[in-house]
Amino acid sequence: MSFRRGVVRQSKFRHVFAQAWKAEHCMDDVRVTRVTWEAPLCAANPKFIALIVEAGGGGAFLVLPLNKSGRVDQNTPTVCGHAAPVLDVQWCPHDDNVIASASEDCMVKVWQIPDGGLKAPMTEAIVTLEGHSKRVGILAWHPTALNILLTAGCDNLLCIWDVGTGELVYQLSDAHPDLIYSVCWNKEGNIICTTCKDKALRIIDPRRGTVLKVKEKAHEGTRPMRAVFLSDGKILTTGFSRMSERQLALWDMRDLTEPMAIQEMDTSNGVLLPFYDPDTNMVYLCGKGDCTIRYFEVTDESPYVHFISLYSSKEPQRGAGFLCKRGVDVNKCEIARFYKLHERKVEPISMTVPRKSDLFQGDLYPDTAGPEPSLLAEDWIAGQDAPPLLISLSGGYVAPASKHKDTLRGRPKLPLQSANSGPAATATPVTRETEVETPAPAKVVQETEAVTDKARKEEDQLNEILAEVRALKAVVLAQGQRIDLLERHLARIEDGDV
């Protein structure tokens, strides 16, 4: 006697569906770069989207407000400080106005984007990092430590920088015998996994400069591989079989002898770029030149990697940007968003869980990594580790205003650029002190009483708001439990158990 209950897997993400936005919400007339480099070519955060574009006589990328739609004027200012094509761009996870770019000119530059976007072309970076002898194609910000940036180039070097001081703090020159294909930090940022042209998957401690584990021929095909760390420490890789079939594999970091799971998909030759969401444990696969986006859920139940569905369209993608969780629309149960790059257009695609309730769905949005770093750069360099600081998405996330250069100053005693910003930093407080006048004693008393009354009123208002928030959270929790109960009952009905 068989029971169908064991056949159907219970998951709140079983019915996730992808939907492209309407044409009027797309960005048109964007000349996406034609550079032949296996990278997303796009990066998005709650404020901006950055797109690598065609540029004559150098390298450039566009930075547009995330809510931009319609035609993008050809005269829109770009970030154009590189002398050769840009290969990768990555937003800093701890400041939504800071972005790093890597280029064929062997340089890595860090830029401060003003709130509202660019009003004029930006040619001067706030930090330029010089340490590679060949083109640089990979950037990876540290997930929890402020100002730590990893770069990888075609010189087979891994470099780790303190962007706040511009110092090269670690360099791994002998870990890879050939071209590095991908680099990914783990959740705490104490180890990295890399893939290389020699077909090996490596786990590396960057501070000790040691290769902890190596899996030779993780995928036997000759085409590029990719690897990402999952939140529980497992590693997911994409690559090709000996017969040029595209593969997806899951590895236990403690034992790389055999993969926990491996799936073969098709024989297309586009490299599969994996995008991982640690909050939902879902992986999205985008192949350059493909017309589809596949998505999977990774669980502790065999076969571990569960195919959910795929989004299919008529137009192939040149690249794709993955929006961090802080930028999604929680009111529409959007759990992920892509920005699909066409030849002349950028098309947003939302991944949504269908829910009838308009209330905040706490089970879909666990606390997620916020913009505040857990460590300063010097703490991480000294050997400290810390998990990300989490924030709640209840009520939606509102991006704060720019922090200007405070973010990039890792230590107050070491300004960002000592030649320029150092004197200004010391002069500013002196100027303010000379302008301050000592008020009369009576005036001080009056101002103190007024400030006290204002503070008391603000505190009362804050207490009222907090009480209302607690009441609403209680209602949301109760409704969420009710919804879960009904969904389980519905699943049993669909399975024929009732």
Side-chain angles (χ1 to χ4, degrees):
M1 183 175 180
S2 62
F3 295 89
R4 294 183 61 192
R5 182 180 298 179
V7 176
V8 179
R9 188 178 64 91
Q10 298 298 318
S11 170
K12 62 176 80 73
F13 303 114
R14 274 197 308 160
H15 304 295
V16 170
F17 69 95
Q19 187 170 24
W21 290 21
K22 294 181 179 178
E24 57 264 29
H25 298 305
C26 297
M27 303 176 203
D28 297 311
D29 212 14
V30 178
R31 296 184 300 163
V32 177
T33 181
R34 295 180 179 275
V35 66
T36 56
W37 185 254
E38 299 293 348
L41 309 180
C42 175
N45 70 19
K47 284 187 179 181
F48 301 106
I49 180 171
L51 310 155
I52 303 176
V53 294
E54 283 288 291
F61 61 95
L62 268 175
V63 175
L64 302 171
L66 195 67
N67 58 4
K68 169 70 178 175
S69 61
R71 183 178 178 273
V72 177
D73 192 283
Q74 292 301 307
N75 296 320
T76 301
T78 61
V79 181
C80 50
H82 283 285
V86 177
L87 300 179
D88 195 14
V89 288
Q90 292 292 331
W91 290 102
C92 174
H94 305 125
D95 188 337
D96 291 336
N97 293 73
V98 173
I99 188 170
S101 60
S103 168
E104 287 188 1
D105 63 6
C106 310
M107 302 285 188
V108 174
K109 294 177 182 283
V110 181
W111 314 83
Q112 183 93 34
I113 307 299
D115 282 331
L118 301 179
K119 306 300 180 187
M122 181 175 283
T123 58
E124 295 298 323
I126 49 176
V127 178
T128 298
L129 307 174
E130 302 181 43
H132 290 278
S133 59
K134 293 185 179 179
R135 60 181 179 173
V136 187
I138 297 174
L139 299 167
W141 290 94
H142 194 283
T144 63
L146 182 68
N147 291 341
I148 296 294
L149 176 65
L150 183 150
T151 64
C154 294
D155 49 9
N156 308 338
L157 286 181
L158 281 178
C159 296
I160 297 178
W161 310 82
D162 180 352
V163 175
T165 61
E167 296 175 89
L168 176 61
V169 292
Y170 297 106
Q171 185 180 78
L172 285 75
S173 57
D174 54 0
H176 300 88
D178 212 328
L179 180 66
I180 302 168
Y181 283 146
S182 70
V183 180
C184 182
W185 295 94
N186 71 338
K187 183 179 179 181
E188 290 77 19
N190 60 342
I191 54 177
I192 58 175
C193 66
T194 68
T195 58
C196 179
K197 194 174 181 179
D198 66 355
K199 305 180 186 179
L201 168 66
R202 291 175 173 83
I203 300 172
I204 300 172
D205 183 335
R207 285 175 295 200
R208 291 165 53 195
T210 56
V211 179
L212 304 178
K213 292 190 177 181
V214 180
K215 171 58 182 176
E216 304 286 351
K217 293 186 178 180
H219 295 274
E220 296 190 351
T222 56
R223 298 279 292 146
M225 295 164 45
R226 290 291 185 274
V228 291
F229 259 116
L230 307 188
S231 57
D232 60 0
K234 296 184 181 71
I235 298 173
L236 185 135
T237 61
T238 63
F240 292 79
S241 70
R242 188 180 300 171
M243 304 301 293
S244 297
E245 293 173 308
R246 295 198 293 190
Q247 294 178 323
L248 168 69
L250 183 68
W251 305 85
D252 187 339
M253 190 181 72
R254 296 167 298 183
D255 183 7
L256 297 178
T257 307
E258 293 292 335
M260 296 175 61
I262 189 164
Q263 293 188 22
E264 294 181 346
M265 282 167 281
D266 55 33
T267 55
S268 177
N269 62 358
V271 176
L272 287 170
L273 305 178
F275 298 92
Y276 174 63
D277 179 1
D279 300 331
T280 59
N281 229 30
M282 288 183 62
V283 177
Y284 303 86
L285 301 184
C286 297
K288 295 187 73 173
D290 286 7
C291 300
T292 60
I293 299 175
R294 294 174 171 86
Y295 38 107
F296 302 78
E297 184 181 4
V298 183
T299 70
D300 294 328
E301 309 166 9
S302 180
Y304 307 111
V305 181
H306 307 273
F307 174 74
I308 294 177
S309 186
L310 64 82
Y311 165 78
S312 183
S313 62
K314 296 179 181 178
E315 297 291 328
Q317 53 226 11
R318 299 280 296 277
F322 187 58
L323 181 63
C324 72
K325 187 57 69 70
R326 291 182 289 120
V328 301
D329 189 345
V330 299
N331 297 317
K332 296 181 179 178
C333 295
E334 181 185 46
I335 60 169
R337 187 189 307 167
F338 283 88
Y339 287 86
K340 177 181 174 179
L341 304 189
H342 299 248
E343 188 173 355
R344 303 277 296 192
K345 183 175 76 170
V346 180
E347 179 184 37
I349 299 170
S350 290
M351 304 289 178
T352 306
V353 178
R355 292 282 173 91
K356 293 182 179 179
S357 174
D358 293 331
L359 296 173
F360 175 72
Q361 304 294 305
D363 62 322
L364 300 182
Y365 301 101
D367 290 351
T368 191
E372 290 300 318
S374 308
L375 300 168
L376 295 179
E378 63 263 36
D379 299 330
W380 183 80
I381 294 168
Q384 296 184 37
D385 297 311
L389 297 179
L390 305 180
I391 60 171
S392 171
L393 293 180
S394 177
Y397 175 80
V398 179
S402 171
K403 300 177 184 178
H404 300 293
K405 292 187 179 181
D406 291 342
T407 300
L408 289 174
R409 193 158 55 243
R411 314 182 255 294
K413 63 183 179 182
L414 289 174
L416 178 62
Q417 305 223 13
S418 56
N420 300 324
S421 60
T426 55
T428 305
V430 175
T431 305
R432 284 202 294 267
E433 286 177 10
T434 57
E435 293 176 351
V436 174
E437 297 180 359
T438 305
K443 187 176 180 181
V444 171
V445 173
Q446 293 173 358
E447 290 180 353
T448 303
E449 291 176 351
V451 169
T452 304
D453 291 340
K454 183 179 179 182
R456 190 179 297 114
K457 290 179 181 177
E458 289 179 350
E459 186 177 357
D460 292 341
Q461 291 176 346
L462 181 60
N463 288 333
E464 291 177 6
I465 292 171
L466 289 174
E468 188 174 352
V469 168
R470 282 193 291 269
L472 286 172
K473 282 186 174 180
V475 172
V476 169
L477 181 61
Q479 293 294 338
Q481 292 172 345
R482 174 64 177 164
I483 290 169
D484 286 342
L485 181 64
L486 291 174
E487 285 185 336
R488 286 197 297 270
H489 188 61
L490 179 61
R492 291 176 60 194
I493 292 173
E494 290 176 347
D495 297 343
D497 295 334
V498 177

